[in-house]
Amino acid sequence: MEQRIGSGSQPLVEGAGFDPAFVPGLTPPASAAPKGPQEKGDPVAADPDETVPEEAAVEEPEEADEAEDVQEDAAEDEAPVDGPVFEAADRRARIVADHRGVRLCLDDQECEFRWDEIAAVETESPRFGKRFTITVHTPDRRWYPIEIEATARSRFTEWDERLDAVLDAYFEEGAAEEAEAEAAAEKE
């Protein structure tokens, strides 16, 4: 076994004279590749024609499993479902209600609720303006509102009717009451 003496990293030029963002005590970010001489056993210096190390070979099956899971999820998403679907979106927000549940998206934030996780779904259309509000209530007394900007106020009635059709088809009030009772029992 080989043992190295000394540090393998290159000395850094420190000080505000060389780096205006220098703050004493903070460590610099790690460089992408070492600039010094590389040894034969170093994985960075490995030739692409050489064999793959055992560690990398062990990681590949895990990645393959994840890829299979993603493919299965995509297959579930693509499966045709007979039933109503409600979808409304604007430039920032989006809501989808279908057989799987309700999904809310705002910018880069997303949340998904299965039907058994929902206690109520509330809609509100303003007296003035074009922002339609949909609020998802959970059995543990939390609520998640989202506002969708409509192109015209006439869309509000259309959205209400389509969302009601989805709720009638998939949402069971008895299941919500049972989930609420279970949550109360767990707290006791």
Side-chain angles (χ1 to χ4, degrees):
M1 177 175 265
E2 234 177 313
Q3 183 176 9
R4 296 185 197 173
I5 300 175
S7 173
S9 63
Q10 298 295 323
L12 299 173
V13 180
E14 295 182 2
F18 297 104
D19 183 12
F22 175 76
V23 176
L26 293 180
T27 58
S31 61
K35 295 180 183 176
Q38 298 173 348
E39 295 181 18
K40 186 175 182 180
D42 191 13
V44 175
D47 214 12
D49 297 334
E50 292 181 12
T51 61
V52 177
E54 291 179 23
E55 297 169 1
V58 170
E59 292 177 343
E60 289 178 8
E62 292 174 5
E63 293 173 3
D65 290 341
E66 291 174 8
E68 289 174 6
D69 292 341
V70 170
Q71 289 174 351
E72 289 173 6
D73 290 342
E76 290 176 6
D77 291 343
E78 294 172 4
V81 176
D82 293 335
V85 175
F86 170 73
E87 185 170 352
D90 65 4
R91 59 186 165 77
R92 293 185 60 206
R94 179 176 171 215
I95 181 172
V96 177
D98 58 10
H99 68 285
R100 293 186 339 188
V102 177
R103 290 176 299 288
L104 307 174
C105 302
L106 181 64
D107 295 331
D108 62 344
Q109 303 295 315
E110 295 182 18
C111 60
E112 183 171 345
F113 304 96
R114 295 185 320 265
W115 288 113
D116 62 340
E117 297 175 326
I118 299 173
V121 177
E122 178 184 12
T123 61
E124 181 182 350
S125 53
R127 189 172 196 178
F128 304 104
K130 295 190 244 180
R131 303 219 38 99
F132 186 70
T133 304
I134 299 171
T135 306
V136 176
H137 296 270
T138 61
D140 58 346
R141 295 192 176 126
R142 294 182 185 261
W143 59 92
Y144 301 88
I146 190 164
E147 291 184 335
I148 308 288
E149 187 171 347
T151 54
R153 290 186 50 82
S154 61
R155 298 286 309 247
F156 293 163
T157 56
E158 175 192 343
W159 284 349
D160 257 337
E161 291 169 1
R162 288 180 32 214
L163 183 59
D164 282 341
V166 171
L167 293 175
D168 289 341
Y170 303 116
F171 184 68
E172 298 175 13
E173 290 184 31
E177 291 171 5
E178 289 174 14
E180 203 170 287
E182 289 174 11
E186 289 176 5
K187 288 182 183 178
E188 295 175 358

mmCIF file with all atom_site columns, all heavy atoms in Angstrom, residues 165-183:
data_model
loop_
_atom_site.group_PDB
_atom_site.id
_atom_site.type_symbol
_atom_site.label_atom_id
_atom_site.label_alt_id
_atom_site.label_comp_id
_atom_site.label_asym_id
_atom_site.label_entity_id
_atom_site.label_seq_id
_atom_site.pdbx_PDB_ins_code
_atom_site.Cartn_x
_atom_site.Cartn_y
_atom_site.Cartn_z
_atom_site.occupancy
_atom_site.B_iso_or_equiv
_atom_site.pdbx_formal_charge
_atom_site.auth_seq_id
_atom_site.auth_comp_id
_atom_site.auth_asym_id
_atom_site.auth_atom_id
_atom_site.pdbx_PDB_model_num
ATOM 1   N N   . ALA A 1 165 ? -68.113 18.453 -11.766 1.00 0.00 ? 165 ALA A N   1
ATOM 2   C CA  . ALA A 1 165 ? -68.239 17.131 -12.392 1.00 0.00 ? 165 ALA A CA  1
ATOM 3   C C   . ALA A 1 165 ? -67.133 16.194 -11.900 1.00 0.00 ? 165 ALA A C   1
ATOM 4   O O   . ALA A 1 165 ? -67.392 15.019 -11.600 1.00 0.00 ? 165 ALA A O   1
ATOM 5   C CB  . ALA A 1 165 ? -68.181 17.257 -13.909 1.00 0.00 ? 165 ALA A CB  1
ATOM 6   N N   . VAL A 1 166 ? -65.924 16.707 -11.775 1.00 0.00 ? 166 VAL A N   1
ATOM 7   C CA  . VAL A 1 166 ? -64.812 15.890 -11.280 1.00 0.00 ? 166 VAL A CA  1
ATOM 8   C C   . VAL A 1 166 ? -65.034 15.526 -9.819  1.00 0.00 ? 166 VAL A C   1
ATOM 9   O O   . VAL A 1 166 ? -64.859 14.369 -9.414  1.00 0.00 ? 166 VAL A O   1
ATOM 10  C CB  . VAL A 1 166 ? -63.463 16.629 -11.459 1.00 0.00 ? 166 VAL A CB  1
ATOM 11  C CG1 . VAL A 1 166 ? -62.337 15.900 -10.752 1.00 0.00 ? 166 VAL A CG1 1
ATOM 12  C CG2 . VAL A 1 166 ? -63.145 16.796 -12.926 1.00 0.00 ? 166 VAL A CG2 1
ATOM 13  N N   . LEU A 1 167 ? -65.450 16.501 -9.009  1.00 0.00 ? 167 LEU A N   1
ATOM 14  C CA  . LEU A 1 167 ? -65.687 16.236 -7.590  1.00 0.00 ? 167 LEU A CA  1
ATOM 15  C C   . LEU A 1 167 ? -66.816 15.222 -7.405  1.00 0.00 ? 167 LEU A C   1
ATOM 16  O O   . LEU A 1 167 ? -66.732 14.346 -6.540  1.00 0.00 ? 167 LEU A O   1
ATOM 17  C CB  . LEU A 1 167 ? -65.999 17.533 -6.850  1.00 0.00 ? 167 LEU A CB  1
ATOM 18  C CG  . LEU A 1 167 ? -64.844 18.533 -6.751  1.00 0.00 ? 167 LEU A CG  1
ATOM 19  C CD1 . LEU A 1 167 ? -65.318 19.829 -6.112  1.00 0.00 ? 167 LEU A CD1 1
ATOM 20  C CD2 . LEU A 1 167 ? -63.681 17.950 -5.978  1.00 0.00 ? 167 LEU A CD2 1
ATOM 21  N N   . ASP A 1 168 ? -67.867 15.328 -8.202  1.00 0.00 ? 168 ASP A N   1
ATOM 22  C CA  . ASP A 1 168 ? -68.968 14.375 -8.109  1.00 0.00 ? 168 ASP A CA  1
ATOM 23  C C   . ASP A 1 168 ? -68.519 12.962 -8.467  1.00 0.00 ? 168 ASP A C   1
ATOM 24  O O   . ASP A 1 168 ? -68.983 11.981 -7.883  1.00 0.00 ? 168 ASP A O   1
ATOM 25  C CB  . ASP A 1 168 ? -70.135 14.789 -9.020  1.00 0.00 ? 168 ASP A CB  1
ATOM 26  C CG  . ASP A 1 168 ? -70.857 16.028 -8.504  1.00 0.00 ? 168 ASP A CG  1
ATOM 27  O OD1 . ASP A 1 168 ? -70.712 16.348 -7.303  1.00 0.00 ? 168 ASP A OD1 1
ATOM 28  O OD2 . ASP A 1 168 ? -71.566 16.669 -9.315  1.00 0.00 ? 168 ASP A OD2 1
ATOM 29  N N   . ALA A 1 169 ? -67.612 12.856 -9.428  1.00 0.00 ? 169 ALA A N   1
ATOM 30  C CA  . ALA A 1 169 ? -67.177 11.548 -9.888  1.00 0.00 ? 169 ALA A CA  1
ATOM 31  C C   . ALA A 1 169 ? -66.184 10.881 -8.924  1.00 0.00 ? 169 ALA A C   1
ATOM 32  O O   . ALA A 1 169 ? -66.260 9.671  -8.705  1.00 0.00 ? 169 ALA A O   1
ATOM 33  C CB  . ALA A 1 169 ? -66.535 11.669 -11.271 1.00 0.00 ? 169 ALA A CB  1
ATOM 34  N N   . TYR A 1 170 ? -65.268 11.642 -8.336  1.00 0.00 ? 170 TYR A N   1
ATOM 35  C CA  . TYR A 1 170 ? -64.176 11.027 -7.584  1.00 0.00 ? 170 TYR A CA  1
ATOM 36  C C   . TYR A 1 170 ? -64.193 11.302 -6.088  1.00 0.00 ? 170 TYR A C   1
ATOM 37  O O   . TYR A 1 170 ? -63.659 10.523 -5.314  1.00 0.00 ? 170 TYR A O   1
ATOM 38  C CB  . TYR A 1 170 ? -62.829 11.480 -8.134  1.00 0.00 ? 170 TYR A CB  1
ATOM 39  C CG  . TYR A 1 170 ? -62.647 11.179 -9.594  1.00 0.00 ? 170 TYR A CG  1
ATOM 40  C CD1 . TYR A 1 170 ? -62.507 12.190 -10.527 1.00 0.00 ? 170 TYR A CD1 1
ATOM 41  C CD2 . TYR A 1 170 ? -62.623 9.866  -10.050 1.00 0.00 ? 170 TYR A CD2 1
ATOM 42  C CE1 . TYR A 1 170 ? -62.337 11.912 -11.868 1.00 0.00 ? 170 TYR A CE1 1
ATOM 43  C CE2 . TYR A 1 170 ? -62.458 9.572  -11.387 1.00 0.00 ? 170 TYR A CE2 1
ATOM 44  C CZ  . TYR A 1 170 ? -62.315 10.602 -12.286 1.00 0.00 ? 170 TYR A CZ  1
ATOM 45  O OH  . TYR A 1 170 ? -62.150 10.320 -13.610 1.00 0.00 ? 170 TYR A OH  1
ATOM 46  N N   . PHE A 1 171 ? -64.741 12.409 -5.670  1.00 0.00 ? 171 PHE A N   1
ATOM 47  C CA  . PHE A 1 171 ? -64.673 12.805 -4.269  1.00 0.00 ? 171 PHE A CA  1
ATOM 48  C C   . PHE A 1 171 ? -65.878 12.270 -3.514  1.00 0.00 ? 171 PHE A C   1
ATOM 49  O O   . PHE A 1 171 ? -67.019 12.539 -3.884  1.00 0.00 ? 171 PHE A O   1
ATOM 50  C CB  . PHE A 1 171 ? -64.607 14.330 -4.151  1.00 0.00 ? 171 PHE A CB  1
ATOM 51  C CG  . PHE A 1 171 ? -64.448 14.824 -2.739  1.00 0.00 ? 171 PHE A CG  1
ATOM 52  C CD1 . PHE A 1 171 ? -63.289 14.592 -2.036  1.00 0.00 ? 171 PHE A CD1 1
ATOM 53  C CD2 . PHE A 1 171 ? -65.461 15.526 -2.117  1.00 0.00 ? 171 PHE A CD2 1
ATOM 54  C CE1 . PHE A 1 171 ? -63.129 15.043 -0.749  1.00 0.00 ? 171 PHE A CE1 1
ATOM 55  C CE2 . PHE A 1 171 ? -65.317 15.987 -0.828  1.00 0.00 ? 171 PHE A CE2 1
ATOM 56  C CZ  . PHE A 1 171 ? -64.153 15.745 -0.137  1.00 0.00 ? 171 PHE A CZ  1
ATOM 57  N N   . GLU A 1 172 ? -65.622 11.514 -2.469  1.00 0.00 ? 172 GLU A N   1
ATOM 58  C CA  . GLU A 1 172 ? -66.691 10.972 -1.653  1.00 0.00 ? 172 GLU A CA  1
ATOM 59  C C   . GLU A 1 172 ? -66.642 11.649 -0.297  1.00 0.00 ? 172 GLU A C   1
ATOM 60  O O   . GLU A 1 172 ? -65.637 11.573 0.397   1.00 0.00 ? 172 GLU A O   1
ATOM 61  C CB  . GLU A 1 172 ? -66.529 9.463  -1.494  1.00 0.00 ? 172 GLU A CB  1
ATOM 62  C CG  . GLU A 1 172 ? -66.597 8.719  -2.804  1.00 0.00 ? 172 GLU A CG  1
ATOM 63  C CD  . GLU A 1 172 ? -66.318 7.238  -2.613  1.00 0.00 ? 172 GLU A CD  1
ATOM 64  O OE1 . GLU A 1 172 ? -66.322 6.768  -1.464  1.00 0.00 ? 172 GLU A OE1 1
ATOM 65  O OE2 . GLU A 1 172 ? -66.083 6.571  -3.617  1.00 0.00 ? 172 GLU A OE2 1
ATOM 66  N N   . GLU A 1 173 ? -67.723 12.302 0.076   1.00 0.00 ? 173 GLU A N   1
ATOM 67  C CA  . GLU A 1 173 ? -67.732 13.004 1.351   1.00 0.00 ? 173 GLU A CA  1
ATOM 68  C C   . GLU A 1 173 ? -67.617 12.040 2.513   1.00 0.00 ? 173 GLU A C   1
ATOM 69  O O   . GLU A 1 173 ? -67.037 12.355 3.545   1.00 0.00 ? 173 GLU A O   1
ATOM 70  C CB  . GLU A 1 173 ? -69.003 13.856 1.475   1.00 0.00 ? 173 GLU A CB  1
ATOM 71  C CG  . GLU A 1 173 ? -68.990 15.035 0.523   1.00 0.00 ? 173 GLU A CG  1
ATOM 72  C CD  . GLU A 1 173 ? -70.189 15.927 0.721   1.00 0.00 ? 173 GLU A CD  1
ATOM 73  O OE1 . GLU A 1 173 ? -70.687 16.019 1.851   1.00 0.00 ? 173 GLU A OE1 1
ATOM 74  O OE2 . GLU A 1 173 ? -70.612 16.542 -0.261  1.00 0.00 ? 173 GLU A OE2 1
ATOM 75  N N   . GLY A 1 174 ? -68.154 10.852 2.403   1.00 0.00 ? 174 GLY A N   1
ATOM 76  C CA  . GLY A 1 174 ? -68.054 9.865  3.472   1.00 0.00 ? 174 GLY A CA  1
ATOM 77  C C   . GLY A 1 174 ? -66.609 9.485  3.741   1.00 0.00 ? 174 GLY A C   1
ATOM 78  O O   . GLY A 1 174 ? -66.193 9.315  4.881   1.00 0.00 ? 174 GLY A O   1
ATOM 79  N N   . ALA A 1 175 ? -65.813 9.356  2.674   1.00 0.00 ? 175 ALA A N   1
ATOM 80  C CA  . ALA A 1 175 ? -64.398 9.014  2.835   1.00 0.00 ? 175 ALA A CA  1
ATOM 81  C C   . ALA A 1 175 ? -63.654 10.143 3.528   1.00 0.00 ? 175 ALA A C   1
ATOM 82  O O   . ALA A 1 175 ? -62.772 9.906  4.350   1.00 0.00 ? 175 ALA A O   1
ATOM 83  C CB  . ALA A 1 175 ? -63.767 8.721  1.479   1.00 0.00 ? 175 ALA A CB  1
ATOM 84  N N   . ALA A 1 176 ? -64.018 11.387 3.222   1.00 0.00 ? 176 ALA A N   1
ATOM 85  C CA  . ALA A 1 176 ? -63.372 12.531 3.861   1.00 0.00 ? 176 ALA A CA  1
ATOM 86  C C   . ALA A 1 176 ? -63.709 12.575 5.342   1.00 0.00 ? 176 ALA A C   1
ATOM 87  O O   . ALA A 1 176 ? -62.847 12.853 6.183   1.00 0.00 ? 176 ALA A O   1
ATOM 88  C CB  . ALA A 1 176 ? -63.786 13.823 3.175   1.00 0.00 ? 176 ALA A CB  1
ATOM 89  N N   . GLU A 1 177 ? -64.964 12.276 5.681   1.00 0.00 ? 177 GLU A N   1
ATOM 90  C CA  . GLU A 1 177 ? -65.361 12.272 7.089   1.00 0.00 ? 177 GLU A CA  1
ATOM 91  C C   . GLU A 1 177 ? -64.659 11.150 7.843   1.00 0.00 ? 177 GLU A C   1
ATOM 92  O O   . GLU A 1 177 ? -64.234 11.331 8.986   1.00 0.00 ? 177 GLU A O   1
ATOM 93  C CB  . GLU A 1 177 ? -66.883 12.135 7.199   1.00 0.00 ? 177 GLU A CB  1
ATOM 94  C CG  . GLU A 1 177 ? -67.633 13.361 6.702   1.00 0.00 ? 177 GLU A CG  1
ATOM 95  C CD  . GLU A 1 177 ? -69.128 13.132 6.610   1.00 0.00 ? 177 GLU A CD  1
ATOM 96  O OE1 . GLU A 1 177 ? -69.603 12.050 7.017   1.00 0.00 ? 177 GLU A OE1 1
ATOM 97  O OE2 . GLU A 1 177 ? -69.820 14.041 6.141   1.00 0.00 ? 177 GLU A OE2 1
ATOM 98  N N   . GLU A 1 178 ? -64.484 9.973  7.206   1.00 0.00 ? 178 GLU A N   1
ATOM 99  C CA  . GLU A 1 178 ? -63.767 8.881  7.835   1.00 0.00 ? 178 GLU A CA  1
ATOM 100 C C   . GLU A 1 178 ? -62.307 9.256  8.076   1.00 0.00 ? 178 GLU A C   1
ATOM 101 O O   . GLU A 1 178 ? -61.759 8.968  9.131   1.00 0.00 ? 178 GLU A O   1
ATOM 102 C CB  . GLU A 1 178 ? -63.835 7.631  6.958   1.00 0.00 ? 178 GLU A CB  1
ATOM 103 C CG  . GLU A 1 178 ? -65.192 6.985  6.905   1.00 0.00 ? 178 GLU A CG  1
ATOM 104 C CD  . GLU A 1 178 ? -65.230 5.835  5.908   1.00 0.00 ? 178 GLU A CD  1
ATOM 105 O OE1 . GLU A 1 178 ? -64.152 5.391  5.484   1.00 0.00 ? 178 GLU A OE1 1
ATOM 106 O OE2 . GLU A 1 178 ? -66.340 5.407  5.575   1.00 0.00 ? 178 GLU A OE2 1
ATOM 107 N N   . ALA A 1 179 ? -61.677 9.894  7.098   1.00 0.00 ? 179 ALA A N   1
ATOM 108 C CA  . ALA A 1 179 ? -60.290 10.315 7.251   1.00 0.00 ? 179 ALA A CA  1
ATOM 109 C C   . ALA A 1 179 ? -60.155 11.347 8.361   1.00 0.00 ? 179 ALA A C   1
ATOM 110 O O   . ALA A 1 179 ? -59.196 11.327 9.128   1.00 0.00 ? 179 ALA A O   1
ATOM 111 C CB  . ALA A 1 179 ? -59.757 10.878 5.936   1.00 0.00 ? 179 ALA A CB  1
ATOM 112 N N   . GLU A 1 180 ? -61.135 12.231 8.459   1.00 0.00 ? 180 GLU A N   1
ATOM 113 C CA  . GLU A 1 180 ? -61.129 13.248 9.511   1.00 0.00 ? 180 GLU A CA  1
ATOM 114 C C   . GLU A 1 180 ? -61.272 12.585 10.881  1.00 0.00 ? 180 GLU A C   1
ATOM 115 O O   . GLU A 1 180 ? -60.587 12.950 11.852  1.00 0.00 ? 180 GLU A O   1
ATOM 116 C CB  . GLU A 1 180 ? -62.290 14.222 9.268   1.00 0.00 ? 180 GLU A CB  1
ATOM 117 C CG  . GLU A 1 180 ? -62.102 15.576 9.906   1.00 0.00 ? 180 GLU A CG  1
ATOM 118 C CD  . GLU A 1 180 ? -63.169 16.537 9.415   1.00 0.00 ? 180 GLU A CD  1
ATOM 119 O OE1 . GLU A 1 180 ? -63.074 16.965 8.257   1.00 0.00 ? 180 GLU A OE1 1
ATOM 120 O OE2 . GLU A 1 180 ? -64.072 16.837 10.199  1.00 0.00 ? 180 GLU A OE2 1
ATOM 121 N N   . ALA A 1 181 ? -62.129 11.570 10.993  1.00 0.00 ? 181 ALA A N   1
ATOM 122 C CA  . ALA A 1 181 ? -62.317 10.843 12.256  1.00 0.00 ? 181 ALA A CA  1
ATOM 123 C C   . ALA A 1 181 ? -61.042 10.087 12.640  1.00 0.00 ? 181 ALA A C   1
ATOM 124 O O   . ALA A 1 181 ? -60.659 10.054 13.797  1.00 0.00 ? 181 ALA A O   1
ATOM 125 C CB  . ALA A 1 181 ? -63.489 9.878  12.144  1.00 0.00 ? 181 ALA A CB  1
ATOM 126 N N   . GLU A 1 182 ? -60.371 9.496  11.647  1.00 0.00 ? 182 GLU A N   1
ATOM 127 C CA  . GLU A 1 182 ? -59.112 8.800  11.910  1.00 0.00 ? 182 GLU A CA  1
ATOM 128 C C   . GLU A 1 182 ? -58.042 9.767  12.397  1.00 0.00 ? 182 GLU A C   1
ATOM 129 O O   . GLU A 1 182 ? -57.283 9.449  13.309  1.00 0.00 ? 182 GLU A O   1
ATOM 130 C CB  . GLU A 1 182 ? -58.623 8.086  10.640  1.00 0.00 ? 182 GLU A CB  1
ATOM 131 C CG  . GLU A 1 182 ? -59.448 6.887  10.254  1.00 0.00 ? 182 GLU A CG  1
ATOM 132 C CD  . GLU A 1 182 ? -59.010 6.303  8.931   1.00 0.00 ? 182 GLU A CD  1
ATOM 133 O OE1 . GLU A 1 182 ? -57.943 6.698  8.418   1.00 0.00 ? 182 GLU A OE1 1
ATOM 134 O OE2 . GLU A 1 182 ? -59.728 5.426  8.420   1.00 0.00 ? 182 GLU A OE2 1
ATOM 135 N N   . ALA A 1 183 ? -57.964 10.960 11.797  1.00 0.00 ? 183 ALA A N   1
ATOM 136 C CA  . ALA A 1 183 ? -56.982 11.958 12.219  1.00 0.00 ? 183 ALA A CA  1
ATOM 137 C C   . ALA A 1 183 ? -57.246 12.399 13.654  1.00 0.00 ? 183 ALA A C   1
ATOM 138 O O   . ALA A 1 183 ? -56.333 12.578 14.445  1.00 0.00 ? 183 ALA A O   1
ATOM 139 C CB  . ALA A 1 183 ? -57.011 13.150 11.266  1.00 0.00 ? 183 ALA A CB  1
#
